[in-house]
Amino acid sequence: MVGTGSLVRLILQRDRLRLAVWVILLVAVPLGTTSAFIELYPDAASREQLAATVSSSPSLVAVLGPLYDSSIGGLVTWRVGVIAAFLIGLMAVLTVIRHTREEEETGRRELLGATVIGRHAPLAAALIVAIGAGVLIGLILTGGFIGMGLPSAGSLAFGLGLAGVTATFAGLGAVSAQLTEASSSAKSIGVAGLGIAYLLRIAGDVGESSGALWVSWLSPIGWFSQLRPFAGEQWWVPALWGGLTLMLVGGAFAVSSRRDVGAGAFPPRPGPAEAGPGLRSASGLGWRLQRGALLGWGLGLGVLGMVYGGAADSIGDMLEGSPQLAQIFEQMGGEQGLTDTYFSFVVGVIALLAAAYAIRAVLRLRVEEENLRAEPVLATATPRSRWAWSHLVYGLAGPVLILALAGVLGGLTYGLISDDVTGQVPRVLAAAMVQLPAVWILTGIAMALYGLAPRHVGLSWGALIACLVLGQLGQILQFPQWTLNLSPFTHVPNFPAQEIEMVPMVLLLLVAIALTGAGLIGFRRRDIG
Amino acid sequence: MSNAISISGLVKNFGHVRALDGLDLAVATGEIHGFLGPNGAGKTTTIRVLLGLIRHDAGSVALLDGDPWTQATELHRRLAYVPGDVMLWPNLSGGEVIDLLGRLRGGLDTSKKDKLLERFDLDPTKKGRTYSKGNRQKVALVAALASNVELLILDEPTAGLDPLMEAEFRACMEEDRSNGRTVFLASHILAEVEALCDRVSIVRKGKIVESGTLAELRHLTRTTISAEVTSNPGSVVGFNGVHDVRVHDHKVDFEVDSDRLDEVVRSLAPLGVRSLVSHPPTLEELFLRHYQDDVDLGSSETET
Ligand SMILES: Nc1ncnc2c1ncn2[C@@H]1O[C@H](COP(=O)(O)OP(=O)(O)OP(=O)(O)O)[C@@H](O)[C@H]1O
Ligand SMILES: [Mg+2]
């Protein structure tokens, strides 16, 4: 462990901006929501009405989380708790892998290995930074909630819960980092784990009334809701995170002490001695490098679409017994109106994730370039534009496939439940597809940055985070309309809740084409490397 | 076509760093041309300009009679490149990389590839990181050498190879020479350059400081002479082109500019030469003179 301290400082120095963005995002969203809720729901009656709507709507529980108390704290926990837990888990996984496996993969770790640094120090340092960030966020939130007048027990539970989620997913990141040689596969494993935790929690929370809540207990994200901040805290729940974290971290250190630097836990299998017929062009290479991610994201978002579709309300049943509820739903546009609103919200979430895939796919160009693997290809008869397209195509066509799959599966599950397959599949599919122009704007931003300002391609992720904050939270946080208009997702029609309007779609498309074109032209003119 | 590569007045800036500062270079078709220079001198940068990977700021560059920036694609069919830092895709086997790069270039000679795999003792079924540095280098070398292109551009291709493999590489180069292939070889290994290269260019701080055959380069430097004479050797100090004179009784050691050797030996004769030992500069001396910053480069040239 010698040298852990100096490595921690090194990580903090390298990541100060990145970590600051995470901390600000994860602190600002819950606190902003709290202040908005205090204003929006000043009296108990209005809060109870909201709580009643939410509790009776499996779809709201599915996308956001279960609601256990109608106090401000309870509402905030429902509205942003699970999202925050998911995002903080993502931060933990990515941060740990970034400073362990990625360092090994690029060979920087070996440079450090030669200095006075214990073999476990890099892993320990990455864990300290990631968990430290989670604890810091938890502390600020606890203080902030208390400062805004929320009960201290709930405030503490909220903060503690996020810190627990961070620790567990930092542990998962640490284990993933040990398993594979490529940091991209390690990230996929970690993020897949996070996705599974999220899906388990949906299944459990939505099925709570039919006794399926135990499924939520399988998920470290589900534990966050079950800690019940502001709703009769169950103080023993954090022990679950603690125990799982210890197991994961212990496992990671055990594997790490047995394997070589740079190697994975499983020795890679030998490959073919000759290239197959598919590997004869830049596009063949692109497919080889992109297919795994496309498959993973396609499957993941397909399953998410299915789960969301399955959680869409069969509200009719509940309405029969409760005239008051029926009235509330009427105000919100009736059953069909509510489902439509739900689907347009859900496809918005899936579209953001599809945009994350698209950015990743385009930035593979930068990964190849930085790792000096672009040069040998560009020194062959492959024109630059063809090489760029061999990855860019995944950023453009990938979201089409992913959104189509999620839309069809979502429509299919909902159609099966509501006995209307032929009606729902095209509706939900169309709802997903109209998001494409907005997704392509992010593809275009990534490509433009890659072609024109390759050192700043990371800003693409900033753009995505901005869309997330503006689109998912902008309205609760009461941002002014012009800021909301900055997000392309604001301009795609909320089909099926609203009609499809062609003009904004065409405009978005033109902007996306302009950005992508600018990136391609810039790339053809600039220096490689 | 007489020159495979001709560069004149090449300038390349990276922000404030001037990596190439008016570089002139000519590589004749069919020759093996050594490209030497200290770290950071601009060798890799020159190669990257030649490959059209980076733009140059001034000067003219012709590669195989074409423009490396605008005609990159066509020109790249006719050349193969081995980068200094070979990085492989973690999920592709070495064999796949060799075939892929060959196909991207427009085809490779399978029988030649098989022979090279054997000669370099390379297992093509391993994947990315499981190759050692030397073996990664071999993957790139096999991929380049197995092609039937007219020009090879090699950036320190033997860095990381063991002596056995280096010998194998030299043998391959000899074969290429007899096949009339042009080779542009950036290297730090003097023995390799001495054994292989027809002509050598030395680059320092982005400029060519010396270019020619090894014999010509030797000629430009100093020969060391030790002599024993019957009379007082003090007058040697006054000879033209003589440096570092050390007199000890009747013995004298000094260095002489190689192009003045004849003149100096004539002047030495009247002193009554009893014994005379002369040795030409070793290659190391030759290069060290150009590599070291503190040597005043101008002196030998201005004197002549
Ligand atoms: N992409 C770049 N950005 C900024 N500076 C660069 C870049 N590439 C090269 N340089 C600078 O240009 C100069 C020449 O570098 P180059 O890589 O051509 O040297 P070299 O002769 O190949 O050295 P070596 O023997 O170490 O390989 C160096 O000062 C280097 O720092
Ligand atoms: Mg170099």
Side-chain angles (χ1 to χ4, degrees):
Chain A
M1 298 282 178
V2 184
T4 306
S6 39
L7 280 183
V8 167
R9 275 193 295 280
L10 183 69
I11 295 176
L12 289 178
Q13 197 192 345
R14 278 184 59 199
D15 270 10
R16 52 180 186 262
L17 190 65
R18 206 178 276 257
L19 286 171
V21 168
W22 279 113
V23 171
I24 290 170
L25 177 73
L26 285 161
V27 164
V29 167
L31 293 184
T33 308
T34 309
S35 100
F37 276 11
I38 291 173
E39 207 171 297
L40 287 172
Y41 305 102
D43 56 312
S46 63
R47 291 200 293 269
E48 264 153 35
Q49 190 182 11
L50 175 68
T53 319
V54 171
S55 309
S56 56
S57 159
S59 57
L60 285 175
V61 172
V63 283
L64 297 173
L67 194 151
Y68 290 117
D69 193 84
S70 66
S71 65
I72 293 286
L75 291 176
V76 169
T77 305
W78 156 74
R79 186 61 184 78
V80 295
V82 167
I83 297 178
F86 182 86
L87 289 177
I88 214 169
L90 189 65
M91 173 205 75
V93 166
L94 296 182
T95 305
V96 169
I97 294 174
R98 179 173 150 77
H99 292 287
T100 49
R101 175 56 63 183
E102 209 168 301
E103 290 294 284
E104 284 184 46
E105 192 185 32
T106 55
R108 282 193 288 263
R109 166 72 181 80
E110 268 163 50
L111 218 60
L112 283 178
T115 61
V116 201
I117 289 222
R119 69 172 293 123
H120 291 309
L123 182 54
L127 284 167
I128 289 172
V129 171
I131 298 176
V135 170
L136 178 71
I137 291 167
L139 281 175
I140 301 178
L141 282 177
T142 303
F145 285 143
I146 296 176
M148 294 170 104
L150 301 192
S152 22
S155 306
L156 180 62
F158 196 104
L160 191 62
L162 286 190
V165 172
T166 316
T168 303
F169 284 100
L172 180 67
V175 171
S176 325
Q178 305 309 314
L179 300 180
T180 63
E181 291 198 344
S183 63
S184 58
S185 333
K187 282 180 195 163
S188 307
I189 295 176
V191 173
L194 191 66
I196 290 170
Y198 179 73
L199 291 174
L200 286 175
R201 171 259 108 204
I202 294 184
D205 292 345
V206 169
E208 184 165 3
S209 53
S210 49
L213 186 62
W214 62 270
V215 183
S216 244
W217 284 102
L218 299 176
S219 157
I221 296 181
W223 298 341
F224 181 82
S225 306
Q226 297 315 318
L227 171 61
R228 313 247 166 150
F230 305 103
E233 295 77 14
Q234 310 199 57
W235 289 112
W236 55 273
V237 170
L240 293 174
W241 286 305
L244 186 54
T245 304
L246 284 180
M247 276 163 57
L248 289 168
V249 169
F253 276 115
V255 180
S256 137
S257 57
R258 288 172 54 195
R259 69 176 181 86
D260 300 332
V261 170
F266 311 109
R269 280 164 293 145
E274 284 175 6
L279 205 55
R280 58 171 54 258
S281 58
S283 52
L285 177 63
W287 167 243
R288 190 60 188 274
L289 299 176
Q290 295 266 4
R291 65 183 180 192
L294 181 62
L295 188 73
W297 282 78
L299 278 180
L301 293 188
V303 170
L304 187 64
M306 221 152 79
V307 170
Y308 279 156
D313 303 317
S314 33
I315 299 169
D317 310 342
M318 291 177 313
L319 293 186
E320 275 165 25
S322 162
Q324 295 128 294
L325 267 184
Q327 201 192 341
I328 296 170
F329 280 111
E330 269 336 300
Q331 284 166 2
M332 298 174 74
E335 183 184 348
Q336 189 60 56
L338 197 67
T339 326
D340 286 351
T341 312
Y342 168 71
F343 272 116
S344 43
F345 178 78
V346 162
V347 292
V349 173
I350 293 181
L352 274 178
L353 291 166
Y357 165 80
I359 291 175
R360 215 191 100 112
V362 173
L363 296 194
R364 180 77 202 211
L365 288 165
R366 184 64 184 159
V367 173
E368 291 290 290
E369 184 182 347
E370 280 190 316
N371 288 314
L372 305 179
R373 293 188 296 241
E375 223 170 82
V377 174
L378 292 173
T380 68
T382 309
R384 284 190 184 200
S385 53
R386 191 182 302 162
W387 179 76
W389 272 106
S390 74
H391 291 281
L392 174 59
V393 69
Y394 294 89
L396 293 170
V400 180
L401 293 176
I402 289 173
L403 285 172
L405 189 68
V408 167
L409 290 178
L412 196 65
T413 22
Y414 179 56
L416 287 172
I417 294 169
S418 60
D419 257 343
D420 182 21
V421 172
T422 47
Q424 294 307 327
V425 171
R427 273 169 72 80
V428 181
L429 177 61
M433 299 315 263
V434 293
Q435 304 285 324
L436 271 174
V439 174
W440 285 334
I441 294 272
L442 286 148
T443 309
I445 290 176
M447 189 63 209
L449 284 167
Y450 178 66
L452 300 168
R455 300 217 166 131
H456 305 291
V457 288
L459 292 178
S460 325
W461 296 111
L464 184 71
I465 291 176
C467 291
L468 169 81
V469 172
L470 292 171
Q472 302 299 312
L473 304 159
Q475 265 165 355
I476 322 175
L477 301 186
Q478 296 175 309
F479 286 173
Q481 186 62 37
W482 70 267
T483 53
L484 300 186
N485 287 345
L486 291 176
S487 164
F489 293 94
T490 309
H491 303 286
V492 291
N494 284 327
F495 185 82
Q498 291 169 2
E499 288 304 301
I500 295 182
E501 270 184 75
M502 289 316 282
V503 176
M505 300 244 284
V506 171
L507 288 178
L508 285 177
L509 218 52
L510 290 178
V511 175
I513 291 172
L515 287 167
T516 310
L520 280 167
I521 292 171
F523 174 65
R524 283 177 47 186
R525 291 157 181 248
R526 74 168 171 83
D527 289 355
I528 302 291
Chain B
M1 191 178 77
S2 56
N3 277 347
I5 297 173
S6 32
I7 298 179
S8 75
L10 180 61
V11 173
K12 174 70 193 176
N13 299 313
F14 291 109
H16 299 297
V17 182
R18 177 158 281 215
L20 298 178
D21 186 14
L23 181 128
D24 302 294
L25 181 73
V27 175
T29 301
E31 75 176 358
I32 300 186
H33 194 104
F35 194 36
L36 291 141
N39 293 129
K43 301 182 292 297
T44 302
T45 306
T46 308
I47 288 178
R48 285 157 54 75
V49 169
L50 284 172
L51 291 170
L53 293 169
I54 57 179
R55 254 176 199 284
H56 58 275
D57 297 314
S60 67
V61 182
L63 173 76
L64 301 172
D65 287 336
D67 178 337
W69 180 262
T70 56
Q71 296 168 279
T73 311
E74 303 99 90
L75 294 176
H76 289 174
R77 276 181 222 289
R78 296 161 61 194
L79 63 85
Y81 163 56
V82 175
D85 287 310
V86 179
M87 293 298 204
L88 302 176
W89 294 271
N91 47 351
L92 260 62
S93 70
E96 285 179 307
V97 173
I98 292 170
D99 286 353
L100 172 70
L101 291 177
R103 289 167 183 178
L104 289 176
R105 205 178 285 126
L108 89 176
D109 187 331
T110 327
S111 65
K112 214 167 164 186
K113 179 190 83 174
D114 292 338
K115 261 185 242 148
L116 284 163
L117 284 175
E118 204 169 307
R119 283 174 75 169
F120 282 106
D121 191 25
L122 180 70
D123 175 1
T125 65
K126 283 195 172 184
K127 284 189 185 167
R129 256 206 81 108
T130 51
Y131 283 115
S132 63
K133 173 168 168 49
N135 281 330
R136 262 183 287 153
Q137 200 73 37
K138 286 190 217 165
V139 169
L141 263 178
V142 172
L145 296 178
S147 61
N148 285 321
V149 294
E150 51 199 279
L151 170 65
L152 290 178
I153 296 183
L154 313 176
D155 193 353
E156 299 181 37
T158 54
L161 292 196
D162 65 41
L164 221 61
M165 292 303 134
E166 211 189 299
E168 205 58 63
F169 167 75
R170 284 188 205 177
C172 288
M173 287 293 102
E174 291 298 348
E175 285 157 37
D176 278 333
R177 185 209 310 275
S178 47
N179 293 336
R181 194 135 69 164
T182 313
V183 180
F184 185 54
L185 171 68
S187 177
H188 284 300
I189 300 173
L190 302 177
E192 177 178 288
V193 171
E194 185 168 33
L196 290 174
C197 296
D198 304 309
R199 288 198 316 130
V200 173
S201 295
I202 300 177
V203 60
R204 210 171 137 263
K205 293 188 177 164
K207 276 196 186 100
I208 296 292
V209 288
E210 216 75 89
S211 191
T213 62
L214 281 174
E216 282 165 356
L217 292 196
R218 283 215 173 88
H219 192 66
L220 283 175
T221 54
R222 297 168 188 171
T223 301
T224 310
I225 293 194
S226 307
E228 202 179 340
V229 290
T230 44
S231 48
N232 184 359
S235 60
V236 170
V237 183
F239 295 174
N240 271 339
V242 164
H243 311 264
D244 270 347
V245 182
R246 277 149 294 159
V247 177
H248 188 74
D249 290 342
H250 289 279
K251 279 194 185 154
V252 61
D253 297 295
F254 59 92
E255 290 180 6
V256 53
D257 293 338
S258 299
D259 51 347
R260 305 255 175 164
L261 190 58
D262 180 51
E263 195 183 311
V264 167
V265 172
R266 277 175 212 278
S267 321
L268 205 60
L271 299 178
V273 179
R274 256 192 265 159
S275 78
L276 182 71
V277 180
S278 108
H279 67 87
T282 64
L283 207 57
E284 261 83 354
E285 282 165 347
L286 191 73
F287 292 125
L288 283 177
R289 250 171 51 85
H290 289 295
Y291 275 40
Q292 276 161 359
D293 267 341
D294 46 339
V295 172
D296 179 10
L297 281 169
S299 67
S300 65
E301 278 131 341
T302 45
E303 266 182 55
T304 43

